[in-house]
Amino acid sequence: MIVIVGCIVVIAAVLTGFTWAGGHFAALIHPSEIVTIGGAALGSLIVMSPKKVLIDLVRGLVQCVKGTPYNQRAYEELFKALYDLFRLARREGLIVLESHLSRPEESALFQKYPAILRNHHIMEFISGALTPLIEGTVRPEQLPSLLEAELKVIEEEHHGPQGVLSKTADALPGFGIVAAVLGIVITMGAIDGPVEEVGEKVGAALVGTFLGILLSYGFFAPLAVRMEFLGAAELAFFRTIATAIQGFANDLPPKVAVEQACRGVMSEMRPSRAELDELFAAVEAS
């Protein structure tokens, strides 16, 4: 929603300034320029991007509009789910978690936390972190390196869509110049025509430059930065999970493990001490 509002503000500011200066909106409508710039930008995006990056880019753009799912409510549900898991493991042993992690959709524990259960990336990360401990294939001191390797992959996968979108933004002013040059070529073919016709064609050519710069700095570059922030928010969420599980693997009590992870959460998302106690109490009462 914020992205849509921002785009509307950009468009409104440009059009308002243009009309106040005596311009006419119809002078900016040239489909041929849009086709040239948009087609060239889309083509270059496809050429430079592997299939997975294109898919991730589409998902990232949708996420830009919807906003991050890793908000304060998601953190609160995460802390409750982890505390519930840790309490169960401390009380009945790690082996009891196997059924919950292998079939989470049938787990009464995870069904209490639908936001966590619906996100298969979160479930896979939690399962991938706890399963080696349950099976005894890794020692607690080996767990950080395993989780760090997975976090590094998550971070690198974020860079792909951001990179191609940023490079496309950098290329858009150039595509605008290409459209403008084509417009001038067309103008040269009609140079002996009426002054009004020549002026219209020159104006259309200049619109190409205008659109290329506006799309670059007004839309594509901000979207790339927005995707960077969304990727950082997701990485921080998974790093919080890793910190909590590492703490529990090192024999910290469930509350202390969750509190330790909570300390690394940004202040905007971090629950206060009183709120964290309320979350613990809600889990204990359930």
Side-chain angles (χ1 to χ4, degrees), residues 16 23 31 50 54 70 73 80 86 90 102 107 112 120 123-124 147 152 155 159 168 174 198 207 239 244 247 267 284:
T16 301
L54 284 174
Y70 305 104
R73 185 174 179 180
K80 290 168 70 175
F86 297 162
R90 177 62 66 93
S102 60
S107 166
K112 294 186 290 184
H120 69 276
M123 292 306 307
E124 287 176 0
L147 295 179
K152 185 176 180 180
E155 184 177 13
H159 290 327
T168 303
V198 173
V207 166
R239 193 172 292 281
S267 58
E284 292 166 0

Side-chain angles (χ1 to χ4, degrees), residues 231-267:
E234 181 178 0
L235 183 63
F237 193 86
F238 282 89
R239 193 172 292 281
T240 299
I241 299 174
T243 301
I245 293 176
Q246 288 171 23
F248 181 71
N250 289 325
D251 288 329
L252 289 179
K255 281 187 179 181
V256 178
V258 174
E259 288 172 358
Q260 177 177 279
C262 184
R263 293 179 185 275
V265 177
M266 293 181 63
S267 58

Side-chain angles (χ1 to χ4, degrees), residues 20 58 181 185 190 242-243 256 286:
W20 278 1
V58 172
V181 170
V185 170
T243 301
V256 178
S286 62

